[in-house]
Amino acid sequence: MTSIRELTVNTSKILSVPIAAGAFGILVTIFLASQRVLKLHPGGPKLIEIAEHIKQGARAFLVREYTYLSVFVLIMFVAVGGATSEWEKSGSSFIIGAVLSASCGWLGMSIAVEANVRTTHAAAEGLNAALSVAFASGAVMGLSVVCSGILGLVIIYSIWTGTTQEDTRYLAGFGFGASSIALFARVGGGIYTKAADVGADLVGKVEAGIPEDDPKNPATIADNVGDNVGDVAGMGADLFESFVGSIIATIQLSEQFADQKTTYGININDRTNDIRALIALPFWIAGFGIIVSIVGIFLVRTGKTPPKDQIQEVLLNTIRRGIFIAAFLSSVMSLVSCGILFGFKSTLTWELWFCTLIGLVSGVFIGVFTEYATSFAYKPTRSIAKKSRIGSAGVIIQGLGIGMLSTMAPVIIIFAAILACFELANNYGIGLAAVGMLSTLGVTLATDAFGPVADNAGGIAEMAEEPEYIRDTTDALDALGNTTAATGKGFAIGSAVLSSLALLNAYKIDAKLTQIDISEPEVLAAGIFGACLPYIFAALTMMAVGRAASMMIEEVRRQFREYKLLSQNPVRSPDYQQCVAISTEASVREMVIPGVLAIVSPLFIGCLLGASALGGMLVGAITSGFMLAVFMANAGGAWDNAKKWIEAGQLGENQGKGSEEHKAVVVGDTIGDPFKDTSGPALNILIKLMTMISLVFAKNIFRDTAAYDNKRYWIAIIIGVLFLVLAVAISLWMRHKGVGKINFQDKNTIQIDDDRTEKVQEITVFDGIGEGV
């Protein structure tokens, strides 16, 4: 009889490290929120008034979104409980996962709307003061996500425990709840923020020629609200789901790996304890990751403000220091975890540690390459900016090309990681690599989440007419935030592929599949269908942004015209709340069809074509979604930073803000906005959500199901018909209400001053897309 473990493991030992780390992380979160953010002065009355408008708009949107989502959660609770006959375990876990995912979004938004105005005020003191406030708010967000995630898993595992895949299936319910909320939060928040952003940019900067965040623009408050509900709240729910999903996937494969690695006699306790050790490992790695992330967070600071042409390089090096040191310490603590659980002399210890190390290094490499592809410190983004000399078409073509090329490096990295981890520790090793990649999420998410805060701070500075040097400081942090945001998306997408592959293997075990044969016609057809889904999903979300942006464009033009906002004597001040209401209404309505599509697709294919075909669909969706997500995130980030490079005056004299070159890159940035902040980020949730749903329903619905099974195919027909009825009804209603249409007849003029009007450039990007889905 052979055992793989060194330490006798029980439930208390499994949970000891994550409980201690989660509790410590919460204490640090409270300290950062109270001492680094809330304790600081928010500035003068004008700053506070503007920030209050943003805060009220963000809270109003999330309250409305969560009200709709609460109905969805109750419906899915009934579906999960009824289908699995596990109301207490899977059903309750689904509720807990959904509530915690939504809570992370709310917490992130709450600290961001407090930090934005304080960052503006701190920018008067210098770069380091502003970075300290903005990054502290991002750290609060990052630590809230990882601590909530690990403690949520600890709570439900301590209640129901389990060692076999059968016994721990309720964890998939937790992941399903987290994924569902994450998808709707990302899509809804992304539509909100980009509708306001696109509307504000096209009418304000391109047509009227006024600066970004000019207080004359009625969409500026909605734009800044969008940063908080999309880029912060949506991102929080998104990465909460990624973090817990990687741990769940690894735990689900522990039993299979233990059976592959050991030979047992009649003593069942040895097998049980070995599985417990394998379950403990992802918990411990994630727990120690929280602690080392805290170390990395406190290492992020700058000295004196560097010269203007060196700001981005200095800031990037500052962020890298925190991330790289945290990654190194995480690798050391992962080795310690493996050694304690399995023995430092054991070959298995080193195999498992190498899997974790591969995940960590892969994440760092993906981040570094993403930074290269999207930062204006490097050639790819600068090449996009230089194409502005031949117009917006050159900017768009170059950006598309850079985005497509940028998929190559992440693909090679993930390709190598999958093969190496499988060779070392089979499918369990692949899941462990995802845990390793996200083990330092506390600090990597902090570097991602501070960007929207800096963006908000710049907007507040512009609206309050603060001195130019304050806006220069916030713009520098915002440009850095765009790069780190793209890096964070790279981490999320890479970990999504590894987690989804691990979950797919767990699904195979639950569905009693020995293989997924792509040569079978049903499997091939389902694979093609799955490969198409990310494109359909991305199209729906892009067009949703277009419709919402069209309504915003019409409203901003109306206010410019009727209120004479651009003249010396406007009739009244801008109606900011009307633009906030437009974005809120549009985002809540438009998130329904893409969200429901993601949930019903695996149920439809599984019931119609069987368990094996559903596996093929998941393979198609994972591969296609991975490529498309990387392309959209990187192209959007590069377009955005190309604009900022020109705005910083780097292209040449008379080629900065207000020039024809600037207008050309604004068009590229406008296209890139829904790429990088709506459709792209939601794709990694899409592939994990579909895999998680398949795992939840595998045993009771899909197991032993063949194509056109007499007991299941009618369920597929009902699901398909109901979805089509819903989609057509919403589309016809929008067509009837004229959603997304712009009046281009005699109302396409804006008031420039009291004596003359100027015909605006007709923008045809959104023509016709209000005609339905």
Side-chain angles (χ1 to χ4, degrees):
M1 180 174 64
T2 304
S3 176
I4 62 174
R5 65 183 158 73
E6 176 79 4
L7 178 72
T8 299
V9 181
N10 53 30
T11 301
S12 62
K13 288 179 180 176
I14 291 175
L15 303 180
S16 57
V17 173
I19 288 174
F24 178 62
I26 287 176
L27 292 176
V28 175
T29 302
I30 294 171
F31 168 78
L32 289 171
S34 60
Q35 300 301 310
R36 294 284 185 89
V37 179
L38 300 178
K39 186 179 179 180
L40 302 180
H41 197 281
K46 197 167 185 179
L47 292 177
I48 295 173
E49 180 186 359
I50 295 169
E52 192 62 29
H53 282 301
I54 297 171
K55 185 190 303 183
Q56 290 175 0
R59 288 178 175 171
F61 168 75
L62 284 188
V63 167
R64 185 163 183 184
E65 182 183 50
Y66 287 176
T67 300
Y68 281 88
L69 288 182
S70 63
V71 177
F72 162 79
V73 168
L74 290 176
I75 293 172
M76 292 310 301
F77 168 73
V78 173
V80 171
T84 62
S85 300
E86 296 177 354
W87 294 92
E88 182 181 358
K89 289 186 176 182
S90 294
S92 299
S93 296
F94 172 81
I95 294 289
I96 294 170
V99 170
L100 285 177
S101 181
S103 299
C104 286
W106 182 270
L107 286 171
M109 178 277 296
S110 297
I111 194 64
V113 295
E114 298 292 345
N116 53 15
V117 67
R118 288 167 171 82
T119 301
T120 305
H121 186 61
E125 301 176 24
L127 184 65
N128 188 56
L131 175 63
S132 177
V133 181
F135 192 77
S137 70
V140 170
M141 173 72 165
L143 292 177
S144 297
V145 165
V146 293
C147 292
S148 298
I150 204 164
L151 290 177
L153 289 173
V154 161
I155 290 169
I156 63 172
Y157 188 80
S158 64
I159 295 172
W160 292 302
T161 66
T163 53
T164 66
Q165 183 174 338
E166 180 88 14
D167 293 339
T168 58
R169 186 180 295 109
Y170 60 86
L171 293 173
F174 182 93
F176 179 28
S179 299
S180 300
I181 296 299
L183 184 73
F184 283 106
R186 257 302 190 187
V187 171
I191 292 170
Y192 185 110
T193 182
K194 292 306 115 181
D197 198 1
V198 169
D201 283 355
L202 288 181
V203 183
K205 289 196 290 187
V206 176
E207 294 182 359
I210 58 177
E212 186 173 6
D213 297 313
D214 191 297
K216 299 185 187 73
N217 194 328
T220 51
I221 292 293
D223 186 8
N224 284 280
V225 169
D227 291 335
N228 295 288
V229 301
D231 297 341
V232 176
M235 177 174 55
D238 175 357
L239 290 172
F240 172 86
E241 177 264 346
S242 297
F243 182 69
V244 300
S246 64
I247 299 173
I248 291 168
T250 310
I251 291 173
Q252 283 279 282
L253 294 169
S254 297
E255 180 190 19
Q256 181 198 46
F257 182 62
D259 289 342
Q260 291 170 339
K261 276 290 181 182
T262 58
T263 305
Y264 301 100
I266 60 174
N267 188 350
I268 192 64
N269 289 329
D270 284 320
R271 178 178 185 273
T272 301
N273 284 323
D274 286 346
I275 296 172
R276 283 177 179 158
L278 293 168
I279 290 173
L281 186 55
F283 273 124
W284 284 26
I285 291 172
F288 284 124
I290 292 174
I291 296 172
V292 302
S293 292
I294 292 170
V295 175
I297 285 167
F298 282 96
L299 290 174
V300 175
R301 58 177 62 246
T302 65
K304 295 181 180 179
T305 302
K308 190 172 183 179
D309 60 344
Q310 298 178 17
I311 283 181
Q312 282 304 298
E313 184 178 352
V314 170
L315 289 174
L316 282 171
N317 288 333
T318 301
I319 295 294
R320 285 175 187 151
R321 181 173 65 237
I323 292 176
F324 289 171
I325 291 177
F328 171 75
L329 293 176
S330 180
S331 67
V332 172
M333 296 311 299
S334 297
L335 178 58
V336 171
S337 300
C338 294
I340 292 173
L341 289 170
F342 304 105
F344 285 98
K345 295 181 179 179
S346 169
T347 302
L348 180 63
T349 291
W350 297 96
E351 290 173 343
L352 295 178
W353 179 67
F354 275 126
C355 290
T356 307
L357 187 63
I358 288 169
L360 262 172
V361 172
S362 297
V364 171
F365 281 176
I366 289 174
V368 168
F369 182 79
T370 302
E371 178 187 308
Y372 173 75
T374 59
S375 172
F376 64 53
Y378 302 106
K379 186 175 180 180
T381 297
R382 292 185 179 186
S383 71
I384 296 173
K386 291 174 182 177
K387 290 294 182 181
S388 64
R389 291 171 174 143
I390 62 172
S392 56
V395 171
I396 294 168
I397 293 169
Q398 186 74 3
L400 290 173
I402 295 295
M404 292 175 184
L405 275 176
S406 72
T407 62
M408 181 174 63
V411 166
I412 293 173
I413 292 167
I414 294 298
F415 170 85
I418 289 172
L419 294 179
C421 290
F422 184 82
E423 193 67 28
L424 289 167
N426 297 315
N427 294 313
Y428 179 86
I430 295 172
L432 203 59
V435 175
M437 187 178 289
L438 293 173
S439 61
T440 57
L441 182 63
V443 65
T444 53
L445 179 52
T447 64
D448 193 346
F450 88 90
V453 174
D455 192 5
N456 252 211
I460 293 172
E462 184 74 35
M463 285 184 279
E465 299 177 334
E466 293 287 299
E468 186 67 25
Y469 74 92
I470 291 180
R471 185 64 198 246
D472 288 342
T473 299
T474 58
D475 280 352
L477 293 177
D478 184 25
L480 175 68
N482 285 330
T483 300
T484 56
T487 302
K489 291 180 179 77
F491 268 86
I493 295 165
S495 66
V497 175
L498 296 176
S499 296
S500 297
L501 185 55
L503 289 168
L504 176 60
N505 280 282
Y507 163 77
K508 279 179 58 184
I509 297 169
D510 254 9
K512 301 288 187 184
L513 293 174
T514 56
Q515 63 178 1
I516 298 174
D517 187 356
I518 198 67
S519 66
E520 294 181 4
E522 294 87 359
V523 178
L524 179 59
I528 295 171
F529 178 82
C532 183
L533 279 176
Y535 287 89
I536 297 173
F537 183 86
L540 290 174
T541 51
M542 290 282 288
M543 293 169 70
V545 170
R547 282 188 294 271
S550 296
M551 296 170 67
M552 188 67 70
I553 289 169
E554 183 71 7
E555 175 60 22
V556 174
R557 285 176 176 172
R558 182 190 69 80
Q559 291 196 34
F560 277 164
R561 182 176 61 249
E562 295 181 7
Y563 302 157
K564 300 182 179 180
L565 296 177
L566 301 179
S567 69
Q568 296 296 322
N569 300 297
V571 174
R572 53 159 293 177
S573 60
D575 186 357
Y576 299 120
Q577 294 307 313
Q578 181 61 27
C579 292
V580 170
I582 288 173
S583 273
T584 300
E585 179 70 28
S587 58
V588 171
R589 177 185 63 243
E590 298 279 8
M591 73 180 183
V592 174
I593 294 178
V596 174
L597 173 67
I599 291 169
V600 303
S601 293
L603 299 176
F604 174 77
I605 291 295
C607 291
L608 181 68
L609 299 179
S612 185
L614 176 54
M617 188 207 84
L618 295 175
V619 171
I622 291 169
T623 53
S624 171
F626 175 39
M627 309 297 170
L628 188 59
V630 172
F631 158 64
M632 298 186 87
N634 290 350
W639 271 318
D640 195 347
N641 276 335
K643 178 197 71 174
K644 284 184 166 50
W645 193 65
I646 285 182
E647 289 177 344
Q650 298 296 318
L651 187 61
E653 189 176 353
N654 300 322
Q655 294 180 327
K657 285 185 178 181
S659 65
E660 290 302 315
E661 291 81 5
H662 182 240
K663 290 181 180 180
V665 290
V666 167
V667 173
D669 176 42
T670 304
I671 296 171
D673 276 336
F675 263 52
K676 67 182 176 65
D677 292 325
T678 306
S679 302
L683 289 172
N684 73 78
I685 310 173
L686 173 73
I687 61 178
K688 280 182 292 182
L689 174 60
M690 293 195 297
T691 315
M692 197 73 76
I693 292 173
S694 303
L695 179 58
V696 169
F697 293 101
K699 176 188 173 185
N700 295 82
I701 302 296
F702 303 132
R703 181 180 289 181
D704 300 324
T705 302
Y708 314 115
D709 189 293
N710 289 331
K711 297 179 181 179
R712 295 283 183 268
Y713 79 90
W714 59 272
I715 299 177
I717 294 174
I718 292 174
I719 290 172
V721 169
L722 288 177
F723 174 74
L724 288 175
V725 169
L726 174 69
V728 170
I730 292 176
S731 299
L732 290 176
W733 180 85
M734 289 193 296
R735 182 188 291 270
H736 175 70
K737 293 292 184 179
V739 173
K741 290 184 178 180
I742 297 181
N743 189 343
F744 287 109
Q745 296 175 5
D746 60 348
K747 297 186 179 181
N748 56 346
T749 57
I750 55 178
Q751 191 76 28
I752 300 299
D753 55 38
D754 294 329
D755 301 316
R756 69 184 183 90
T757 59
E758 181 174 304
K759 190 175 179 66
V760 300
Q761 303 172 23
E762 291 193 4
I763 296 179
T764 58
V765 175
F766 304 113
D767 284 2
I769 58 178
E771 302 298 326
V773 199

